[in-house]
């Protein structure tokens, strides 16, 4: 049995969601953790994604109790790397687990033992970690749907979170040769130092030619309107 899961890798120093497939059965939490620990695919590497989780790390299980997910991994998880690498790998786990509906906090175990910090740099993971704890490792505009390479049609449903000036940013759709074919202004539920959620629809006329489009999100510069915090999500057209 193959199950699709959403996991979070790193693009530069920020988390980025992707979809993977996991073979086998288990709870949503255990399947998500197994998916996160898979090696990078050729496509992921080509798109600039990396993982800070050591390749030798093994999943020893994960469970959910109320809003708390507890993950158990081999001790390899805290091997090598400095403070940024440690915080990034913690963020990958936390964002992956909190993608599961209802989960807001994540506790860590290594080799079956609860831990309060990760690595020699002592990245604290107790009390249980939330996304807010790792806000600096999230992009200003975090698009959580659609995921890269998803097959989509118009109107395109876009959702995620943002921490931008006055909670305002722009969504655009570009065709395969970069021509902008749709544009919408979006307001998140909060901004200017506070991360809010957003849920938007953007309609477009399907272009002729290759069935590829790009979803673009950016915050217009207060100085001259130029794009800042730009995010690009490659998509495929269906229908």
């Amino acid at each position: 049995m193959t199950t699709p899961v959403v996991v979070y890798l790193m693009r530069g120093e920020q988390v980025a969601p992707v979809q993977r497939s996991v073979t086998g059965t288990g709870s949503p939490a255990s399947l998500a953790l197994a998916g996160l620990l898979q090696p990078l695919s050729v496509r992921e590497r080509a798109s600039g994604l990396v993982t800070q989780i050591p390749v030798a790390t093994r999943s020893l299980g994960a469970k959910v109790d109320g809003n708390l997910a507890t993950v158990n991994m081999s001790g390899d998880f805290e091997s090598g790397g400095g403070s940024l690498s440690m915080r990034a790998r913690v963020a990958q786990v936390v964002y992956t687990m909190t993608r599961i509906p209802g989960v807001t906090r994540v506790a860590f175990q290594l080799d079956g033992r609860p831990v309060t910090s990760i690595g020699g740099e002592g990245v604290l993971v107790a009390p249980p970690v939330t996304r807010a704890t790792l806000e600096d490792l999230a992009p200003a505009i975090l698009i959580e749907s659609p995921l890269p390479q998803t097959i989509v049609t118009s109107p395109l449903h876009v959702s995620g979170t943002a921490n931008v000036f006055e909670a305002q940013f722009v969504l655009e759709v570009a065709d395969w040769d970069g021509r902008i074919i749709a544009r919408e202004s979006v307001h998140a539920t909060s901004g200017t130092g506070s991360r809010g959620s957003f849920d938007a629809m953007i309609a477009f006329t399907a272009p002729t030619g290759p069935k590829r489009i790009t979803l673009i999100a950016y915050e217009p510069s207060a100085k001259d309107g130029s794009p800042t915090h730009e995010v690009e999500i490659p998509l495929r057209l269906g229908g």
Side-chain angles (χ1 to χ4, degrees):
M1 179 179 178
T2 300
T3 303
V5 296
V6 177
V7 306
Y8 287 72
L9 303 177
M10 301 297 295
R11 176 171 281 110
E13 297 179 358
Q14 298 176 328
V15 293
V18 299
Q19 183 169 290
R20 287 177 166 178
S21 295
V22 178
T23 301
T25 59
S27 68
S30 62
L31 290 172
L33 183 59
L36 176 61
L37 299 183
Q38 290 176 357
L40 289 170
S41 69
V42 172
R43 174 177 284 179
E44 289 166 351
R45 290 182 185 276
S47 62
L49 294 167
V50 300
T51 180
Q52 292 296 338
I53 300 175
V55 66
T57 305
R58 293 175 293 112
S59 171
L60 303 179
K63 62 181 180 180
V64 173
D65 183 8
N67 67 3
L68 176 67
T70 301
V71 297
N72 184 10
M73 294 172 287
S74 64
D76 306 286
F77 180 75
E78 62 177 351
S79 65
S83 59
L84 178 58
S85 174
M86 293 296 172
R87 294 190 74 242
R89 68 188 68 173
V90 168
Q92 287 183 242
V93 174
V94 170
Y95 274 79
T96 297
M97 289 296 112
T98 53
R99 176 81 182 208
I100 299 169
V103 174
T104 59
R105 302 180 299 140
V106 182
F108 286 75
Q109 296 180 356
L110 297 181
D111 294 323
R113 294 175 287 104
V115 293
T116 59
S117 65
I118 299 293
E121 301 293 331
V123 175
L124 294 178
V125 290
V129 187
T130 67
R131 287 191 175 192
T133 309
L134 301 157
E135 170 64 24
D136 60 309
L137 295 178
I141 303 169
L142 176 58
I143 294 178
E144 301 200 80
S145 179
L147 297 172
Q149 303 302 330
T150 301
I151 298 175
V152 300
T153 57
S154 178
L156 179 59
H157 178 213
V158 185
S159 62
T161 64
N163 184 354
V164 294
F165 181 66
E166 294 186 343
Q168 299 181 54
F169 65 97
V170 174
L171 288 177
E172 294 179 340
V173 175
D175 66 11
W176 65 278
D177 64 357
R179 182 174 61 94
I180 303 301
I181 58 176
R183 179 181 286 111
E184 289 287 345
S185 295
V186 178
H187 282 73
T189 55
S190 61
T192 314
S194 176
R195 183 165 293 270
S197 61
F198 65 87
D199 195 290
M201 302 291 287
I202 180 167
F204 60 93
T205 300
T208 58
K211 297 293 186 179
R212 300 192 305 271
I213 59 172
T214 301
L215 173 65
I216 303 167
Y218 64 89
E219 178 185 2
S221 165
K223 179 180 179 181
D224 58 12
S226 60
T228 63
H229 303 129
E230 190 169 2
V231 179
E232 295 189 0
I233 308 294
L235 302 167
R236 295 179 290 163
L237 278 177

